[in-house]
Amino acid sequence: MIPASFDYLTPTTLGEAVEALVSHGENARVIAGGHSLLPMMKLRLARPGVLVDLSKIPDLSGIQQENGQITIGALTTHYEIESSDLLKDKCPLLPQTARVIGDAQVRNRGTIGGSLAHADPAADIPASILALGGELRVRGPDSDRWIQAEDFFLGLMTTALKPDEILTKIRIPVLSDRVGTSYQKVAQKASGFAIVGVAVHLGMDGGLCAEIGVGVTGLGSKPYRARGVEEGLRNRRLEPSVIEAASSQVAQDVDPLEDIHASAEFRAHLARLYTARAIVEAAKMAER
Amino acid sequence: MAATRRITININGVSTSHEVEPRLLLVHYIRDMVELTGTHVGCETSVCGACTVMLNGAAIKSCTVLAVQADGEEVLTIEGLAQGEQLHPLQEAFWECHGLQCGYCTPGMILSAYQLLLRLPRPTEEEIRHGIEGNLCRCTGYQHIVDAVQQAAGQMRARR
Ligand SMILES: Cc1cc2nc3c(=O)[nH]c(=O)nc-3n(C[C@H](O)[C@H](O)[C@H](O)COP(=O)(O)OP(=O)(O)OC[C@H]3O[C@@H](n4cnc5c(N)ncnc54)[C@H](O)[C@@H]3O)c2cc1C
Ligand code: FES
Ligand code: FES
């Protein structure tokens, strides 16, 4: 299985990369880890005439903490996220999520930026970035802007990125110490992609849920933040009845996907169940 | 046809250089141009792990990397693991513990295990199973592979 012919460019600055996208228009595609794009090209589901490889551009990968924020370069691999001591300490939700993506080889190549830009409805990372209230930095010919994760995902494999824009980094607020996080997914056996995945980060204060973010993937055509669940938990004691009632809101206003792996009804059921599990696990961690 | 590129890849310590089309997959570069056929092609769809090699110290599926993406980089294939006649502890352990039957998955399985032991010298059974998740074996039922990795881990620690 071999992709159709294409030209291959290796720009060494972001400016050059954007220029290449502008001059080749819709015919060009950025390649990061290539672990979504190359499989699609082999199947001729994608047929770009020009590939713009970002890997030779310095400073697009790495994880840093700066003034109350954690910044992650778009080319940072899933493995780098999974194994980062800084993230394990300050933002454990991301390593918890990265650890269950595909397999070791996929995690060595696949990148956080590629996963967000590709916006597969079953990808794991988007759920966690949504739960954390992350922001995405986007660079184009006449733009260099932050986009809220919630405004980034528009629909099935569709994002707010324009064809000549490049995602350069992701920014996440550093969480307070009394925070617990959990990512729970039902994986599709062969690929590992989420049939349903739920990311939760919550903070407790005086026995009440003071801070809450819930991101969901796999259920609908795009990942989303489950505001209904969050409202059901905010400023409450996390008793079983409260968790159950809040989790029952997860599929509210969502049209669940249906495929050979799960019917719409079963997906919605799994989403409710795994939302409750993620809340319970995150609460346990917050209480430690 | 798109413009070809001259690329140089260090494979098992030997510098190789060829003129390639950008769409050439790394696994085909290794097997067809450099003629190292120990790296296998199973599914060609990133699932089976038979094509696993190390690229700059990280296990990757070479059917899902372009040869041009590895230009200037270092690759280790199964042929590069033994030291002359001396098998690598993983190769010895796969032999002794019956970690293979037909052997089709073995080169990729060993390199995934190699990666795991570089990162976790003392893996638990669960960690071994998680580490070789990207490699399918149709013969062994995995138990003997897990045993082999455990045995090799002990050997490698003893040699250090
Ligand atoms: C066998 C297998 C199993 C997998 N299992 C899982 C799983 O369980 N969960 C999961 O979430 N994912 C899974 N994946 C997908 C994997 O995580 C991909 O690596 C990821 O989705 C895409 O990242 P990439 O760097 O490989 O992107 P690429 O494939 O390089 O790019 C994907 C798309 O995003 C665009 N793009 C990439 N980077 C940028 C950027 N910086 N700016 C603008 N556009 C960009 C590209 O143009 C392309 O359209 C799996 C993949 C494989 C092959
Ligand atoms: S041949 Fe590469 S993963 Fe199967
Ligand atoms: S030994 Fe035959 S596929 Fe693994």
Side-chain angles (χ1 to χ4, degrees):
Chain A
M1 237 186 268
I2 293 169
S5 283
F6 53 84
D7 283 314
Y8 176 74
L9 307 178
T10 46
T12 52
T13 66
L14 208 48
E16 268 176 54
V18 170
E19 240 169 71
L21 292 179
V22 171
S23 64
H24 296 283
E26 301 262 350
N27 195 29
R29 273 299 251 293
V30 155
I31 182 165
H35 268 49
S36 290
L37 187 54
L38 291 175
M40 284 177 63
M41 287 171 63
K42 289 182 184 180
L43 295 169
R44 304 294 200 271
L45 292 172
R47 228 179 150 141
V50 179
L51 278 192
V52 181
D53 185 347
L54 299 181
S55 68
K56 302 289 185 284
I57 303 173
D59 304 330
L60 278 185
S61 73
I63 304 164
Q64 265 129 32
Q65 182 172 358
E66 298 163 350
N67 342 311
Q69 306 265 4
I70 291 177
T71 310
I72 304 174
L75 286 193
T76 308
T77 63
H78 302 319
Y79 173 70
E80 286 162 338
I81 289 171
E82 170 190 5
S83 60
S84 156
D85 288 332
L86 175 64
L87 290 180
K88 282 185 207 162
D89 184 33
K90 302 288 182 196
C91 184
L93 182 56
L94 283 178
Q96 285 166 352
T97 308
R99 186 176 189 275
V100 295
I101 294 175
D103 53 53
Q105 295 96 312
V106 169
R107 295 193 293 274
N108 279 337
R109 278 310 277 181
T111 67
I112 185 170
S115 189
L116 293 164
H118 190 60
D120 189 300
D124 297 300
I125 288 284
S128 295
I129 298 294
L130 283 162
L132 292 164
E135 291 171 283
L136 289 70
R137 180 81 172 195
V138 166
R139 165 83 182 267
D142 4 75
S143 59
D144 200 0
R145 59 196 172 115
W146 287 108
I147 306 179
Q148 296 284 332
E150 258 191 293
D151 300 329
F152 185 75
F153 301 102
L154 302 181
L156 193 77
M157 296 170 110
T158 318
T159 69
L161 272 178
K162 303 201 185 86
D164 55 10
E165 284 182 325
I166 293 172
L167 173 58
T168 57
K169 57 187 170 187
I170 295 96
R171 178 166 86 177
I172 289 152
V174 173
L175 309 177
S176 61
D177 290 338
R178 310 243 352 124
V179 150
T181 62
S182 177
Y183 183 67
Q184 298 287 327
K185 85 161 158 175
V186 192
Q188 203 261 85
K189 279 272 182 256
S191 70
F193 271 106
I195 292 174
V196 163
V198 184
V200 168
H201 102 83
L202 55 78
M204 302 297 290
D205 192 7
L208 301 180
C209 175
E211 199 180 316
I212 176 76
V214 180
V216 182
T217 189
L219 184 65
S221 58
K222 62 169 190 175
Y224 62 95
R225 193 161 168 171
R227 295 283 183 187
V229 180
E230 294 178 8
E231 287 322 309
L233 299 173
R234 202 180 309 279
N235 298 324
R236 304 257 166 84
R237 236 165 247 292
L238 296 185
E239 286 152 4
S241 61
V242 170
I243 295 177
E244 198 183 322
S247 304
S248 73
Q249 298 301 306
V250 71
Q252 201 186 28
D253 307 325
V254 182
D255 197 5
L257 294 175
E258 187 153 45
D259 59 21
I260 54 166
H261 306 300
S263 66
E265 196 188 339
F266 184 48
R267 262 201 170 76
H269 168 73
L270 289 174
R272 288 187 288 270
L273 200 63
Y274 278 72
T275 301
R277 282 190 195 171
I279 296 166
V280 169
E281 290 302 315
K284 266 194 227 159
M285 182 171 155
E287 277 155 17
R288 270 207 309 256
Chain B
M1 196 176 91
T4 58
R5 269 195 172 219
R6 174 149 292 269
I7 60 170
T8 303
I9 304 178
N10 183 306
I11 303 187
N12 305 330
V14 178
S15 175
T16 68
S17 185
H18 291 272
E19 194 76 33
V20 303
E21 264 195 87
R23 64 173 170 164
L24 181 74
L25 302 173
L26 179 59
V27 69
H28 294 132
Y29 179 84
I30 294 170
R31 289 178 53 87
D32 302 342
M33 306 198 87
V34 184
E35 298 184 350
L36 288 173
T37 53
T39 304
H40 292 168
V41 183
C43 64
E44 289 199 291
T45 55
S46 336
V47 175
C48 75
C51 64
T52 301
V53 302
M54 303 288 285
L55 176 60
N56 294 340
I60 54 113
K61 292 174 175 173
S62 60
C63 73
T64 312
V65 174
L66 301 167
V68 289
Q69 286 179 293
D71 185 17
E73 315 292 348
E74 283 184 18
V75 168
L76 174 74
T77 69
I78 189 70
E79 288 93 342
L81 214 51
Q83 302 279 332
E85 294 294 299
Q86 174 71 48
L87 289 183
H88 187 274
L90 270 164
Q91 293 171 307
E92 265 173 7
F94 267 65
W95 184 348
E96 281 169 14
C97 302
H98 303 282
L100 64 149
Q101 288 178 26
C102 79
Y104 202 87
C105 69
T106 313
M109 195 64 89
I110 286 186
L111 286 168
S112 282
Y114 178 69
Q115 150 100 88
L116 174 73
L117 296 183
L118 289 181
R119 289 175 179 172
L120 290 177
R122 204 181 285 275
T124 62
E125 177 175 343
E126 197 271 326
E127 285 166 338
I128 294 174
R129 291 184 183 275
H130 187 62
I132 59 171
E133 226 168 30
N135 295 74
L136 301 182
C137 176
R138 310 278 325 247
C139 302
T140 63
Y142 301 99
Q143 187 53 49
H144 291 318
I145 294 177
V146 174
D147 295 346
V149 177
Q150 226 134 23
Q151 173 165 327
Q155 286 290 326
M156 284 168 73
R157 287 199 305 271
R159 281 199 193 178
R160 246 176 231 161

